Amino acid sequence: MNAPRGLTIRTATSADATGLANLAARTFRDAFGAANNPADLALHLETHYTAEVMRRELEDPGWETLLAEVDGRLAGYAQSVTRDPPLDLGAGGRMLHRFYLEQAWIGRGIAGPLMESVRTSARRRRAQYLWLTVWQENPRAIAFYQKCGFVSRGTTTFTVGNDPQVDWVMTAPL
């Protein structure tokens, strides 16, 4: 699928913290709200998706946040960070920590260019592979990551609020 006209992908700055926090909370809620206890979801959003949390991540040189915009409006984002994986995957990995699109832009040609930008950034940082975790109950995301060359290497626990959930750990070479 062709990318939409007017698509740009850029590195976020601390000035983007509030807009990114709103986008991140909204896309997480859209993706997982119906499948999670409202109290657990609210706790997760309050602790992970505030402007303050986003600003800290944006100012940390180990993190990179890429914003996908169409005609200047946020359509999605991806964040990567240097972090040790929960499994022994070998040296040289970079975590794709978050990858989300606004519901209206899913399936409209943004995810591919955004993923390629993540790969380019990871290569620039000398990573040899990307790794991520994805909820085992999210078949659409799993299918997308498989299409992008990711393979499952095991499982780990991801906690939403107070609810521990099983995530797949997936890797893709760069």
Side-chain angles (χ1 to χ4, degrees):
M1 171 170 281
N2 293 332
R5 292 183 146 211
L7 173 65
T8 58
I9 298 172
R10 67 175 177 87
T11 302
T13 69
S14 58
D16 295 303
T18 298
L20 177 60
N22 292 334
L23 173 68
R26 187 170 51 255
T27 56
F28 191 90
R29 190 180 312 102
D30 288 348
F32 305 112
N36 282 280
N37 173 293
D40 286 324
L41 182 69
L43 178 59
H44 186 79
L45 295 176
E46 291 167 10
T47 56
H48 292 85
Y49 295 108
T50 66
E52 180 181 319
V53 168
M54 291 296 156
R55 188 170 287 103
R56 279 196 310 267
E57 292 171 358
L58 291 168
E59 293 173 352
D60 184 328
W63 285 75
E64 183 164 45
T65 301
L66 300 173
L67 302 178
E69 298 174 325
V70 179
D71 296 327
R73 296 185 57 166
L74 285 175
Y77 76 105
Q79 290 182 299
S80 65
V81 62
T82 300
R83 180 173 290 166
D84 290 334
L87 307 173
D88 183 9
L89 302 175
R94 184 156 175 90
M95 181 186 193
L96 177 54
H97 184 65
R98 297 181 181 122
F99 192 98
Y100 290 94
L101 298 179
E102 288 274 19
Q103 289 290 316
W105 287 105
I106 292 174
R108 296 184 56 197
I110 292 175
L114 184 57
M115 181 63 78
E116 190 50 41
S117 294
V118 169
R119 290 177 188 277
T120 298
S121 168
R123 286 185 199 104
R124 236 186 356 260
R125 292 174 179 259
R126 303 193 194 300
Q128 297 171 14
Y129 66 92
L130 285 173
W131 69 274
L132 59 83
T133 66
V134 58
W135 190 28
Q136 68 177 359
E137 304 294 327
N138 191 348
R140 186 175 197 160
I142 291 167
F144 171 73
Y145 293 133
Q146 288 173 331
K147 181 179 169 183
C148 292
F150 285 85
V151 295
S152 180
R153 302 284 302 274
T155 62
T156 191
T157 301
F158 181 85
T159 303
V160 175
N162 294 305
D163 181 21
Q165 301 176 356
V166 177
D167 276 15
W168 287 8
V169 177
M170 301 181 83
T171 62
L174 290 171

